[in-house]
Amino acid sequence: MRYAMAIDTKKCVGCSDCVVACQTENNVPIGYCRDWVVEATSGTYPDLSMEIRSERCNQCTNAPCVRCCPTEASHIVDGGIVVVDHDECIGCKACITSCPYDARFVHPEGYVDKCTFCIHRVEKGENPACVSVCPTKCMYFGDTDDLNSEISQLLRKRKWKTLIPEAGTEPNIYYLT
Amino acid sequence: MPKTLNRRDFIRISSLGLGGLAAANPIFDWLSGSVMANESLQETIKRIPTYCEVCFWKCAGWAHLNDKGDIWKLTGNDDDPHCNGRLCPRGTGGVGMYYDDDRLKTPLIRTEVDGKQIFKEASWNEAFDFIAKKMKKIADEHGPECIALFSHGSGGKHFGRMLKAFGSQNITAPSYAQCRGPREVGFFATYGEGIGSPERVDIRDTDCLVLIGSHIGENMHNGQVQEMSDAIDKGSTIITVDPRFSTAASKSKHWLPIKPSTDMALLLSWIHVIINNEWYDKKYVDKYTFGLDELKEHVKSYTPEWAYGITTIKPHVIRKTAKEMANAAPSVIIHPGRHVTWYGDDTQRLRAVAILNALLGSWGRRGGFYNPEKKKVAKLNIPRFPKPQKTWRDAFPGKFKLAGLALASGICDATIPAAGRDCSFKGWIVNGTNLISTLPNQANTIEAIQNLDLMVAIDTMPMEITGYADVVLPECTYLERYDNLRISGHREPTIALRAPAAEPKYNSKSAWWMAKELSNRLGLGDYFPFEEEEEELDWQLKQVGSSLEEMKKIGVKKYNRQYDDLYPLEGLPDYEFNTNSGKIELYSTAMEDEGYDPLPKYTAHEEPPTDFYRLIYGRAPMHTFSRTANNPNLTDLMDENKVWVNPKVAKEWGLKNNQEVWLENQDGVVTSFPIKVRVTERIRWDSVYMVHGFGHTDKRMSRAYGKGASDSELITRTKVDPVMGGTGMRVNFVTFLTEAPTKGAA
């Protein structure tokens, strides 16, 4: 089983609902976030194009944060989700430095925090909070090992990219373009 | 330390500047640091139905409580056609309205101490006695009609009931004359019906969506955003007309970067092309419309070549986009927009939109405009309201003859005494609308307030308007109260319940309770026959086969349509429209009868002088007007606005990204605060753009004070729509001050 997310940049309007839904669902303190929105415009008026993306931890298959963690607080659980054990985390920030996606931060309580794919919801068969709330339904969550899953089908049907593939992290967040 | 913005090259929409406020978040301390991520979260112990009050879309959802019984999070109700189980960012962040510690906490009465005016904390009894005494005095001296209610929210229904019982029907919202009024009048004059809210546009099923200055996706009207996304999925053609490369423009097949203020020329040219090429729906137009010959003659000279010179949109683009619409017809929507008070000829522009839709046969057809149905719910058994002796219209003899609702700006103007004016207002009750930001020309609003004998402001937050009140009443948030049922027209009729998820914080109270208590003191207790709002709701729900008990479990109740007429004109049946001719009036007899142009004409609007730029304003998806600017969850997503400047203009002025500037308008008015520059290709060189609702000047709103600048301050000039009194506000021009001005600076 390999949990992954596909985000359709053709539909995302950058409203940041994913950000606030994550914050309230996961009690992320105000001033911090586990996901965020990026907007990139190219061209000169009036020949313009724009891509909007919701970004978060890429739940990498080859995760540098896990490899560099001295206490094994950062580890991978079933389905390939990278999680941080708050008790084991000593706040050394090695993982923050190693992450090419800038997806981690130090929680005010001292441990490193980041997106968990809402594992507590996924275990109950629900979608992550960001996917459930998105008004444009631009986010898809599922198992890419299951070739019949909606996400697998989308990845076969549509063009997609991952972020910074050259880092060799094998990210599991796909952007449909 | 929170993460900072400069670690990415792109612009993060979600700003993260408020790390210091973390401790203010009361849900933060539930998170135990001693467990794995998957064990650290509470289960929902209980959920209470509500419908959202952060904007007017009123999505139904659930307030979830945690194991301590506190409000944890808000989610959408799956059965609600407004949101389909998905709240927008404002709805999700609505929890911040409840937890905002800058809220109004107790009633306040203006009083003078040592020659200085201050607010004194008062009991509810003192506040109500003060208001009732003043209201009776105004009624005795001038008549009860001289008290007006301004409202934009659910509380308005309750205060409206009280005021109607008192003898005044002067009940108004800036959402009409400052927003959607021209659209309602333009469509009414054409089809005998307005658009309403939520808009009756069948975006979900359309093949072609045309947006004219309507920035869906940035205006987060939830159901429409969802349906636009469905349309993108389906491969529908989107055509966006906007001087700014909006989010919607970036999703469009065709973006027409029009010169601002020239939309009418484009619309008339599209009509010209569709008629001249005979691309209109002939059977539909023959059967249902009135005035095609007059229209044909009228648009004869409005060629794409003529329009090019005005709009800067190339003739072949005008023809190509007209063809796209005709190819999709009748599954096409020329969207009527929502905030349409731009240039003073707005009713006529919306008439042109209505006409274009009629030619393409989209009204009453799938993928065009559907016919919404509302559930009929029994009215309360209360005495008839007295008939007022006069209304706001008496202040404007012979003007704004097609205005369907009271004008907020009109009542404001009529509060300032003028020779020969029949109706001057002496009392304002203002609920849930920050008139300082929502009405144009702040100096005029403040002058009007100086002429009042009584001003009551009822709000959850210390908005600027509360600073001008004689009495301030703290309303509890929507998460702490019942309200009237939400009864809305949609593809299928629904009702939705709002129930309290928490006790009112501080000494705040619900609008229903305030209106009932005030009515009692005015001798109007019969109009609030129930002791508790619960009883009133339960009685009403039992009339439609439900109960308060049932609704508390389901939140939203769906009913079947009574009539099978979602698309009444499919198959072209006989149909009579509610117009003078019984037909869709391409040529409007109602307009002609009242002395207005029966067919829309192009009028050139004033252009910005040298070194000035047209001020265009709009919305960000995470904010509603100025009302969310202090919400801790939403300011965390965006806590200030920026002024968008084209790179060519920035180069001329030597402006850099994030440089602070002050904006000065054509009347010499300068913003109270500086605003950061956003140099972007997404805006035309003849305009600047900013999101409305920032630059708050009231220090009591600690997160909003001084953040960004207020477009409202710069809108000192309007062009008033002669048909219905809408205040066209895109007629202001601004220039940059790169040094702090000697006055007006913070």
Side-chain angles (χ1 to χ4, degrees):
Chain A
M1 188 158 60
R2 168 64 62 190
Y3 287 123
M5 206 180 269
I7 300 171
D8 190 344
T9 60
K10 298 275 184 218
K11 294 199 286 181
C12 176
V13 295
C15 71
S16 302
D17 205 359
C18 46
V19 180
V20 65
C22 169
Q23 286 172 324
T24 56
E25 173 69 31
N26 295 297
N27 307 317
V28 177
I30 281 173
Y32 299 80
C33 62
R34 293 178 175 184
D35 56 351
W36 59 92
V37 174
V38 162
E39 171 196 305
T41 310
S42 51
T44 310
Y45 194 99
D47 300 309
L48 295 170
S49 66
M50 181 163 74
E51 180 175 294
I52 308 175
R53 294 191 300 270
S54 169
E55 293 189 0
R56 61 191 43 62
C57 167
N58 277 268
Q59 310 291 356
C60 303
T61 303
N62 183 17
C65 53
V66 172
R67 273 185 284 120
C68 76
C69 178
T71 64
E72 297 182 354
S74 280
H75 63 285
I76 296 178
V77 298
D78 282 354
I81 303 176
V82 178
V83 297
V84 182
D85 186 328
H86 299 168
D87 269 354
E88 299 294 324
C89 177
I90 54 170
C92 74
K93 303 182 193 167
C95 56
I96 294 181
T97 313
S98 77
C99 175
Y101 306 105
D102 197 9
R104 293 172 161 244
F105 60 94
V106 181
H107 191 283
E109 292 194 352
Y111 56 84
V112 168
D113 200 18
K114 67 164 200 75
C115 165
T116 65
F117 264 174
C118 281
I119 192 167
H120 61 289
R121 292 170 61 95
V122 172
E123 280 172 347
K124 287 190 287 183
E126 296 171 9
N127 275 325
C130 55
V131 177
S132 294
V133 81
C134 177
T136 67
K137 289 165 269 176
C138 77
M139 300 161 83
Y140 303 86
F141 179 79
D143 178 8
T144 48
D145 281 351
D146 173 1
L147 298 181
N148 291 320
S149 66
E150 188 184 25
I151 189 168
S152 294
Q153 293 181 32
L154 272 169
L155 293 174
R156 281 199 298 277
K157 205 166 67 184
R158 295 274 303 266
K159 280 191 204 151
W160 53 262
K161 65 177 180 186
T162 55
L163 299 181
I164 325 179
E166 63 275 19
T169 54
E170 298 174 45
N172 286 295
I173 306 281
Y174 299 87
Y175 292 95
L176 306 175
T177 56
Chain B
M1 286 292 290
K3 294 182 293 179
T4 53
L5 284 172
N6 56 15
R7 288 165 69 182
R8 283 193 186 78
D9 293 328
F10 300 119
I11 298 155
R12 247 186 208 184
I13 294 176
S14 345
S15 73
L16 298 168
L18 293 166
L21 294 168
N25 185 351
I27 47 181
F28 151 59
D29 61 3
W30 311 335
L31 203 142
S32 149
S34 63
V35 284
M36 296 252 305
N38 59 343
E39 294 166 347
S40 67
L41 293 148
Q42 33 272 305
E43 294 289 312
T44 293
I45 304 302
K46 199 178 162 191
R47 59 177 202 182
I48 292 107
T50 186
Y51 59 86
C52 188
E53 184 80 4
V54 188
C55 92
F56 43 74
W57 205 260
K58 298 189 170 77
C59 295
W62 301 101
H64 300 251
L65 307 186
N66 65 15
D67 52 8
K68 288 183 183 167
D70 293 326
I71 298 174
W72 167 32
K73 64 173 181 181
L74 303 172
T75 61
N77 187 318
D78 290 339
D79 286 334
D80 181 31
H82 293 226
C83 78
N84 306 299
R86 293 161 184 263
L87 295 179
C88 85
R90 299 163 302 160
T92 308
V95 66
M97 262 177 92
Y98 169 72
Y99 283 116
D100 193 330
D101 44 17
D102 288 338
R103 279 172 57 174
L104 289 169
K105 297 183 174 74
T106 200
L108 303 170
I109 297 179
R110 180 181 296 269
T111 183
E112 208 170 287
V113 177
D114 301 332
K116 205 183 156 202
Q117 293 190 357
I118 55 158
F119 279 129
K120 151 184 100 116
E121 291 191 358
S123 69
W124 282 100
N125 277 336
E126 283 174 286
F128 288 144
D129 288 343
F130 182 98
I131 297 167
K133 194 173 149 197
K134 288 264 190 180
M135 283 179 73
K136 284 182 195 160
K137 188 159 181 276
I138 292 171
D140 289 346
E141 290 172 6
H142 309 281
E145 302 88 348
C146 290
I147 299 176
L149 168 67
F150 297 78
S151 166
H152 200 196
S154 303
K157 295 283 181 210
H158 313 304
F159 293 110
R161 196 198 311 181
M162 174 192 83
L163 198 64
K164 282 188 227 168
F166 190 65
S168 171
Q169 304 262 354
N170 291 312
I171 297 169
T172 187
S175 52
Y176 189 73
Q178 281 64 55
C179 196
R180 63 185 179 85
R183 171 187 95 174
E184 300 304 313
V185 177
F187 272 71
F188 207 90
T190 314
Y191 296 98
E193 283 181 81
I195 296 293
S197 178
E199 282 82 0
R200 54 199 296 176
V201 282
D202 202 18
I203 301 177
R204 185 177 76 183
D205 283 323
T206 200
D207 291 332
C208 180
L209 173 64
V210 184
L211 301 173
I212 302 167
S214 178
H215 49 323
I216 297 180
E218 286 159 287
N219 76 38
M220 204 63 206
H221 305 159
N222 197 344
Q224 285 194 78
V225 177
Q226 295 190 15
E227 294 200 13
M228 185 171 82
S229 186
D230 294 341
I232 293 170
D233 241 353
K234 203 180 100 161
S236 310
T237 298
I238 302 178
I239 300 169
T240 298
V241 180
D242 203 313
R244 187 174 64 94
F245 189 62
S246 61
T247 301
S250 78
K251 310 283 180 200
S252 299
K253 181 172 173 188
H254 302 282
W255 170 43
L256 278 53
I258 195 166
K259 179 177 167 182
S261 84
T262 67
D263 311 79
M264 182 73 109
L266 175 66
L267 285 160
L268 291 170
S269 184
W270 271 338
I271 293 172
H272 168 97
V273 171
I274 284 167
I275 292 183
N276 267 36
N277 290 290
E278 300 197 359
W279 289 343
Y280 58 92
D281 187 331
K282 289 194 191 68
K283 280 186 187 158
Y284 182 100
V285 168
D286 280 353
K287 189 170 173 91
Y288 295 129
T289 71
F290 170 81
L292 178 67
D293 292 341
E294 289 86 346
L295 177 66
K296 195 171 178 177
E297 180 60 25
H298 177 74
V299 298
K300 210 162 63 179
S301 60
Y302 297 138
T303 61
E305 285 68 23
W306 165 82
Y308 172 49
I310 294 167
T311 61
T312 73
I313 305 299
K314 294 198 171 81
H316 77 273
V317 175
I318 296 176
R319 290 199 174 86
K320 191 161 70 180
T321 44
K323 184 73 178 134
E324 288 259 18
M325 294 178 217
N327 286 347
S331 182
V332 55
I333 300 164
I334 323 306
H335 197 291
R338 188 152 183 138
H339 175 83
V340 290
T341 45
W342 300 347
Y343 304 111
D345 58 355
D346 306 302
T347 302
Q348 293 289 5
R349 188 181 68 253
L350 271 296
R351 274 269 300 144
V353 169
I355 290 168
L356 196 52
N357 279 298
L359 292 172
L360 296 167
S362 66
W363 184 266
R365 312 274 281 279
R366 182 183 292 275
F369 292 77
Y370 65 77
N371 181 30
E373 190 177 306
K374 250 185 198 184
K375 180 71 186 165
K376 283 202 175 65
V377 180
K379 294 235 158 59
L380 297 174
N381 291 317
I382 53 174
R384 271 171 171 264
F385 294 123
K387 195 170 157 40
Q389 302 298 307
K390 49 187 179 178
T391 76
W392 67 274
R393 286 183 196 275
D394 299 323
F396 301 97
K399 290 171 100 176
F400 318 136
K401 287 185 276 192
L402 292 182
L405 293 172
L407 310 177
S409 42
I411 289 179
C412 179
D413 291 347
T415 302
I416 301 170
R421 184 165 275 154
D422 196 31
C423 173
S424 282
F425 289 89
K426 300 291 175 193
W428 287 8
I429 299 169
V430 184
N431 176 217
T433 177
N434 187 15
L435 293 182
I436 302 299
S437 283
T438 53
L439 290 179
N441 197 348
Q442 293 186 350
N444 188 66
T445 308
I446 292 164
E447 189 192 341
I449 292 169
Q450 301 308 329
N451 283 287
L452 292 170
D453 293 343
L454 171 69
M455 186 171 124
V456 183
I458 305 140
D459 213 312
T460 64
M461 293 299 299
M463 291 289 169
E464 283 79 3
I465 188 69
T466 63
Y468 294 95
D470 299 307
V471 186
V472 180
L473 302 179
E475 188 179 13
C476 60
T477 68
Y478 68 106
L479 296 170
E480 301 159 290
R481 68 183 195 230
Y482 287 103
D483 255 310
N484 283 4
L485 296 172
R486 188 202 76 189
I487 305 163
S488 55
H490 214 285
R491 292 186 180 97
E492 53 186 343
T494 54
I495 56 171
L497 175 72
R498 172 183 289 163
E503 285 293 311
K505 273 191 169 217
Y506 315 114
N507 191 17
S508 65
K509 296 282 186 189
S510 76
W512 186 89
W513 181 82
M514 290 182 225
K516 179 178 166 70
E517 289 292 316
L518 261 174
S519 296
N520 285 342
R521 279 168 176 80
L522 295 166
L524 304 168
D526 289 353
Y527 290 89
F528 286 84
F530 292 98
E531 277 313 302
E532 301 290 336
E533 197 170 10
E534 278 176 290
E535 297 166 31
E536 189 176 296
L537 286 166
D538 193 47
W539 177 86
Q540 216 170 16
L541 284 164
K542 284 185 172 137
Q543 314 306 308
V544 286
S546 184
S547 66
L548 190 60
E549 197 189 347
E550 183 193 45
M551 288 300 287
K552 278 184 170 177
K553 286 185 202 135
I554 59 176
V556 171
K557 193 172 174 83
K558 288 187 178 188
Y559 293 86
N560 292 327
R561 283 183 76 96
Q562 207 179 343
Y563 303 103
D564 181 24
D565 61 351
L566 183 60
Y567 304 114
L569 304 185
E570 283 293 351
L572 306 186
D574 290 341
Y575 194 91
E576 191 175 345
F577 292 84
N578 182 29
T579 56
N580 291 335
S581 60
K583 292 186 178 281
I584 299 171
E585 297 204 343
L586 304 176
Y587 183 98
S588 170
T589 57
M591 297 278 272
E592 186 175 43
D593 288 351
E594 297 297 350
Y596 305 117
D597 290 334
L599 289 163
K601 286 182 187 152
Y602 171 71
T603 318
H605 298 293
E606 191 184 335
E607 296 193 17
T610 311
D611 290 343
F612 279 78
Y613 306 88
R614 189 179 298 274
L615 175 64
I616 305 178
Y617 50 83
R619 304 253 176 261
M622 56 292 278
H623 284 286
T624 303
F625 320 133
S626 64
R627 73 167 62 158
T628 51
N630 205 64
N631 177 316
N633 295 76
L634 300 179
T635 51
D636 196 36
L637 301 176
M638 176 182 180
D639 67 346
E640 64 181 337
N641 58 355
K642 292 185 179 179
V643 59
W644 295 29
V645 180
N646 182 281
K648 282 183 198 160
V649 177
K651 198 174 167 195
E652 248 173 65
W653 285 82
L655 301 177
K656 301 271 178 298
N657 253 326
N658 291 319
Q659 176 181 347
E660 290 193 332
V661 296
W662 286 257
L663 299 176
E664 179 175 7
N665 78 355
Q666 71 284 334
D667 297 329
V669 172
V670 181
T671 52
S672 297
F673 303 103
I675 181 169
K676 286 179 188 151
V677 169
R678 177 181 177 184
V679 180
T680 175
E681 292 285 354
R682 293 178 59 193
I683 184 75
R684 262 178 84 104
W685 54 89
D686 50 10
S687 311
V688 295
Y689 173 78
M690 60 201 280
V691 171
H692 169 76
F694 289 87
H696 279 273
T697 55
D698 199 315
K699 287 184 175 166
R700 293 175 296 170
M701 292 197 289
S702 61
R703 279 171 290 270
Y705 174 75
K707 290 289 179 69
S710 163
D711 58 321
S712 309
E713 288 181 336
L714 298 166
I715 301 174
T716 52
R717 191 163 73 164
T718 59
K719 273 197 88 176
V720 178
D721 190 328
V723 183
M724 50 62 70
T727 53
M729 295 185 276
R730 299 249 166 104
V731 295
N732 290 273
F733 308 120
V734 299
T735 190
F736 308 103
L737 301 181
T738 50
E739 302 285 326
T742 43
K743 57 175 187 175

